[in-house]
Amino acid sequence: MRTLHSIPTAPRALPLVGHLLPLLRNPTAFLSSLPAHGDLVKVRVGPFPLVVVCDPNLTHQVLLDDRTFDKGGPMYDRAREVSGKGIGTSMHAEHRRLRRLVQPSFHPFRLPGYAQTMTAHIDAATTSWRPGQILDVPEEMMTITSEIAIATLFSDSLPRDELDRLLDAGRTLFAGFYKRMFLMPPLDRLPTPGNRAYTRARDTLHETCGRIIAQRRADGTDHDDLLSALLAARDADTDGQGMTDAEIIDTIVAILLAGIETTASALTWALDLLAQHPKIERRLHDEVDTVLNGAPATHADLPQLLFTNRVITETLRLRPPAWFFTRTVTADTRLGGHLLPAGTSVAYSSYIVHHRPDLHAQPEEFDADRWDPQRPQPPRNSLIPFAAGARKCPGDHFAMAEATLALATITTRWRLEHSPGTRRRPALSITLRPRKLPMRTRPRAVPPS
C-alpha cells in the first residue's frame, strides 16, 4: 500500500529551513520544477511538511471535496489572523451558510451598478495620467482597484480619512502576509517593527469596519452597495438568519484583501505582457478603438470586448495572482493512490496546473487566441484562477468585469512602454505580482471631456 512516506520529496531541502529559501527567492521556478518528481511531491517549509499536488485531476479532486480537503495549513492559519472565519477562510462546517448569505451580493443583476462605479474610478485615474509620465504600474493598479473596492463596498458613505485608514491597513497586511506565513513560532510573536505594524493594521481594519457597520445598522438606509447587500442577506435554510457583525467584518476584510491585490496583479501583468507582445497589443488596440474610441469602457461594452477578455484570461493563466493555497486533510483519504492520514497538509497551485505542457501547448507563450471559442479548448480542469467547486471565488464575474473595463479603458487611451533595464522579479506576497514595474505613458487618444 502506498502511503504518505512513499511520496517523493523535492530535492535540495536544507536542514531546519527545508525548501523555504527557493520558495522565497523564486517561488514560480521552484513550483515549476515539482511535476518532474511526481503527481504528488513532498516539500518542507521550515518544520512544516506539505504535500504539493501537481496533477490537474488530483487538484480538481482536492477542490471539489472541500469536506475532506478543508481550508487549513500555514496559509489559512495566517489568513484567519486577519479575516477570522470569513467566507474565504471558514471551515467546511461554516462555509455553506456563509456562501448562501454572501453569493447574492455578487448576483449578476448587481453587476451593472458595480460596473458604473468601476467605470467612474477607472476614468478618473486614466485621465489624470500625463504623456511621458513614468508610472509605478503595480502601485497605480493597486490605487485603482482599492478605490473600486472601497466604493463598491461602502458607496460614498466613508469620509476620506477613514477610507485612507482602510487602504493603508490593507497595504500593510498584504506586504507582510506572505513572509509572515513562513515565520516559525515564536518569531511571529516577537515585538519586531514588522510584527507590530502587522498587528496594528489588522486591528485598524477590524475597528474601522466595525464602526462603519454599527453606523449602517443605526442608519437603516440601503446605500445600494455591497455592505447594504451583506446587511440585508438572510438565509432561508436557517429561518431567515442574517450575518453577525463579526461575520460581516470578516467578509469585508476578505473582499478587500482578495479583491484589491488580485485584480491589480492581473492588470499589472497584462500591461507588462502587452508591451512585450506588439502583435497582440495591436489587435487589442483595434478592438478597443473600435468599441470605445477613447471613451471609458462601461458595462454595456463588455459583450463587444471579446479579445480584451481573452487577454485577461490568458494573463490569469500565465501569471495567476492566486497561485498557491493550502488545505488540511480532515479524515484518512486516498489521493493519487496514496493514503493520506488526517492532519496532512496539502497544497495546490494554479501556477503548476496552468504551466503544464500536456494541458497548454507552449505554456510559456502569451497566446490570447488559445481562448478563442473557434479553436479547440484546453481541458476543463486546466484553468483555475478562481479555484473550483463550492469554494470557488464568489466574486469571479465581478473581478473579470473590473479587469476588462480597466484594461480596455487604459489601452484605448494610453500605450505603456517599459523603462530601460526593466527587471520583473516577483514580490514576496500572497499574490503573484512584480515588485516594481516602471512604464512610460504614451497617449493614444484624447479622453472625452
Side-chain angles (χ1 to χ4, degrees):
M1 178 187 293
R2 293 195 295 174
T3 66
L4 182 63
H5 301 291
S6 58
I7 297 173
T9 299
R12 294 187 294 277
L14 297 175
L16 299 178
V17 297
H19 300 93
L20 182 58
L21 292 182
L23 269 171
L24 292 175
R25 287 174 177 167
N26 196 339
T28 55
F30 177 70
L31 291 175
S32 295
S33 71
L34 296 181
H37 303 289
D39 292 341
L40 302 176
V41 181
K42 286 187 292 191
V43 303
R44 191 162 50 82
V45 181
F48 305 113
L50 283 173
V51 175
V52 180
V53 185
C54 301
D55 176 79
N57 292 322
L58 298 181
T59 299
H60 203 62
Q61 179 181 336
V62 168
L63 291 172
L64 292 187
D65 186 3
D66 62 314
R67 182 187 296 273
T68 303
F69 300 96
D70 209 347
K71 289 207 170 180
M75 177 179 179
Y76 288 102
D77 291 343
R78 292 305 184 197
R80 290 184 184 111
E81 294 177 349
V82 180
S83 59
K85 296 180 180 180
I87 187 169
T89 53
S90 60
M91 303 292 284
H92 179 273
E94 299 97 13
H95 175 259
R96 293 298 189 269
R97 184 181 71 86
L98 285 174
R99 179 86 184 198
R100 291 193 299 268
L101 286 163
V102 171
Q103 191 67 63
S105 303
F106 293 100
H107 192 280
F109 81 81
R110 291 185 174 274
L111 193 54
Y114 296 151
Q116 189 173 3
T117 300
M118 295 172 188
T119 296
H121 286 275
I122 295 163
D123 184 31
T126 54
T127 52
S128 72
W129 299 348
R130 295 292 174 261
Q133 179 181 355
I134 300 293
L135 297 178
D136 180 352
V137 176
E139 191 67 23
E140 195 69 32
M141 296 304 105
M142 280 281 285
T143 298
I144 292 173
T145 58
S146 297
E147 297 279 354
I148 289 171
I150 294 292
T152 50
L153 266 167
F154 305 118
S155 61
D156 58 355
S157 63
L158 284 190
R160 188 71 218 185
D161 60 336
E162 204 148 45
L163 185 150
D164 288 339
R165 274 198 299 273
L166 281 173
L167 294 181
D168 289 344
R171 288 171 185 266
T172 300
L173 290 171
F174 254 117
F177 184 91
Y178 184 71
K179 290 180 182 178
R180 190 172 172 83
M181 189 170 88
F182 297 122
L183 273 181
M184 294 171 281
L187 298 179
D188 58 336
R189 294 189 294 274
L190 293 177
T192 63
N195 285 344
R196 288 200 302 268
Y198 192 87
T199 301
R200 282 197 305 271
R202 180 194 63 198
D203 294 344
T204 296
L205 202 57
H206 280 252
E207 289 166 5
T208 304
C209 289
R211 189 164 55 250
I212 296 166
I213 290 169
Q215 291 168 353
R216 282 292 188 90
R217 288 202 187 277
D219 175 74
T221 303
D222 186 344
H223 291 256
D224 196 29
D225 54 20
L226 264 169
L227 178 55
S228 291
L230 293 173
L231 287 166
R234 295 293 181 269
D235 181 18
D237 288 3
T238 55
D239 298 324
Q241 186 180 32
M243 300 174 74
T244 66
D245 284 6
E247 289 172 335
I248 293 176
I249 290 172
D250 290 343
T251 300
I252 288 172
V253 172
I255 290 172
L256 286 175
L257 295 185
I260 292 172
E261 177 91 357
T262 52
T263 307
S265 297
L267 286 168
T268 298
W269 286 120
L271 293 166
D272 173 52
L273 289 163
L274 287 169
Q276 298 176 63
H277 297 84
K279 290 183 180 179
I280 295 178
E281 185 183 47
R282 282 195 295 272
R283 289 178 60 192
L284 180 63
H285 288 166
D286 289 343
E287 176 175 273
V288 297
D289 291 350
T290 300
V291 176
L292 305 177
N293 193 30
T298 68
H299 183 266
D301 298 316
L302 289 174
Q304 301 176 75
L305 295 170
L306 299 178
F307 190 71
T308 309
N309 184 274
R310 293 205 292 272
V311 167
I312 294 293
T313 302
E314 176 66 351
T315 300
L316 292 173
R317 183 198 67 81
L318 194 61
R319 302 284 187 267
W323 60 285
F324 187 79
F325 291 99
T326 58
R327 295 287 193 269
T328 296
V329 176
T330 59
D332 294 357
T333 191
R334 289 189 178 279
L335 184 66
H338 295 270
L339 181 63
L340 303 185
T344 302
S345 290
V346 171
Y348 79 90
S349 169
S350 57
Y351 189 92
I352 291 176
V353 173
H354 292 180
H355 285 252
R356 287 187 60 116
D358 56 336
L359 299 177
H360 304 280
Q362 298 176 301
E364 302 307 317
E365 267 195 23
F366 180 56
D367 178 13
D369 282 332
R370 74 173 79 235
W371 307 108
D372 185 339
Q374 302 304 313
R375 285 176 52 171
Q377 294 296 288
R380 184 170 60 92
N381 298 342
S382 66
L383 187 71
I384 50 171
F386 300 103
R391 304 307 291 254
K392 185 178 182 182
C393 172
D396 54 344
H397 295 296
F398 180 106
M400 285 298 297
E402 180 182 2
T404 303
L405 293 174
L407 186 64
T409 302
I410 291 168
T411 53
T412 196
R413 291 176 172 178
W414 301 96
R415 184 171 188 270
L416 299 189
E417 302 172 344
H418 288 129
S419 297
T422 297
R423 295 178 64 197
R424 300 168 194 84
R425 293 181 58 199
L428 297 179
S429 173
I430 190 173
T431 61
L432 183 66
R433 62 181 177 87
R435 294 177 189 272
K436 287 189 175 295
L437 185 65
M439 299 186 78
R440 186 181 299 276
T441 58
R442 300 293 185 195
R444 298 196 59 251
V446 178
S449 58

